Amino acid sequence: MKNPRPQPTQSVTAPSTLSRVVPDPTALKALTHPVRLRMLGMLRLDGPATATQLAVRLGLNSGATSYHLRQLAQYGFIEEAPHASRRDRWWRASHELTSVPASEAEGEALDLDLAFNQAILSLQVGQMQQALEEYAELPPEWRKASTASDIIIPMTAEQAEALTRRLTDLILEAMRVAPPLGEPAPPDMVPFSIMLHAFPYPGRLPHREGDDGS
């Protein structure tokens, strides 16, 4: 529902501080792998898991899954999670958000920025396609809460940056007051995905000098 009333047993708390990681170039390069992005998202969304559990969900063997988990742990994206089971190794996400500022550099730094954004886009397109396939089966209130919007506004670069910052701040504020991902939530709440894409309309800005546009 758009405006669910708090459950009787739910306490009202002050907004939390979101934990985030800003990866350096080496760590960011490790995160451009699509499997690692999916793993990190699963651990944030559903809470701690073992390599075997993630392997089943991803359709991989446990050896490959363990390798990717070690890479994520090496660069601080995940960490071992305390668990009653001593036979299995449990992992959890170390942060709620990954922040990657747009690169202002050229060359290798820009290539890495593009690679990361391409990996993110591929993951998001897959999620959007799955959401569309499930749309007809959603309860009416969740169909009303969903949208696929395309809005184009003439703006300067400064105005566009200010707008995307305002939208991001609004979304993060909603995240701060919501129950943390991976933890139990009221029965009328489910994870709600918001994907924000903002960019100059393709083909409307001049190419860089020496670029023939092909």
Side-chain angles (χ1 to χ4, degrees):
M1 297 180 182
K2 289 185 177 179
N3 297 296
R5 288 186 290 181
Q7 300 297 306
T9 58
Q10 183 183 9
S11 61
V12 179
T13 58
S16 63
T17 301
L18 299 175
S19 60
R20 67 178 70 204
V21 58
V22 182
D24 62 26
T26 303
L28 184 60
K29 186 175 182 179
L31 199 58
T32 59
H33 196 290
V35 170
R36 293 173 200 156
L37 277 175
R38 291 184 64 192
M39 283 182 178
L40 181 57
M42 288 177 176
L43 292 174
R44 285 177 174 170
L45 181 63
D46 298 318
T50 67
T52 300
Q53 291 170 337
L54 292 172
V56 171
R57 295 168 62 185
L58 290 165
L60 301 173
N61 63 66
S62 57
T65 305
S66 295
Y67 170 75
H68 290 305
L69 286 170
R70 289 195 299 271
Q71 290 294 304
L72 289 172
Q74 178 180 345
Y75 295 105
F77 295 109
I78 66 172
E79 60 193 13
E80 286 195 59
H83 199 273
S85 173
R86 297 184 178 181
R87 184 178 62 180
D88 297 313
R89 196 176 190 183
W90 289 74
W91 297 95
R92 66 184 178 191
S94 301
H95 311 87
E96 296 171 276
L97 296 169
T98 302
S99 294
V100 181
S103 174
E104 297 183 4
E106 300 292 334
E108 186 175 351
L110 179 57
D111 291 341
L112 181 57
D113 195 9
L114 290 170
F116 177 73
N117 279 282
Q118 181 62 60
I120 289 290
L121 180 61
S122 297
L123 180 64
Q124 292 175 343
V125 167
Q127 292 174 346
M128 292 170 66
Q129 183 62 49
Q130 184 176 355
L132 181 60
E133 293 169 359
E134 297 177 0
Y135 181 80
E137 305 302 323
L138 291 177
E141 62 267 26
W142 283 110
R143 290 202 299 270
K144 289 174 64 178
S146 303
T147 184
S149 302
D150 180 10
I151 302 169
I152 303 172
I153 310 170
M155 301 186 113
T156 65
E158 291 76 15
Q159 290 171 331
E161 182 181 1
L163 178 59
T164 55
R165 286 183 181 275
R166 287 174 58 193
L167 294 171
T168 300
D169 288 344
L170 180 63
I171 294 168
L172 293 183
E173 181 60 27
M175 187 176 183
R176 288 188 187 96
V177 300
L181 285 174
E183 297 184 8
D188 59 350
M189 283 188 174
V190 299
F192 188 68
S193 181
I194 302 170
M195 300 179 186
L196 180 59
H197 294 270
F199 47 85
Y201 195 88
R204 297 305 176 98
L205 282 175
H207 293 280
R208 288 182 295 179
E209 186 175 352
D211 188 348
D212 60 6
S214 59

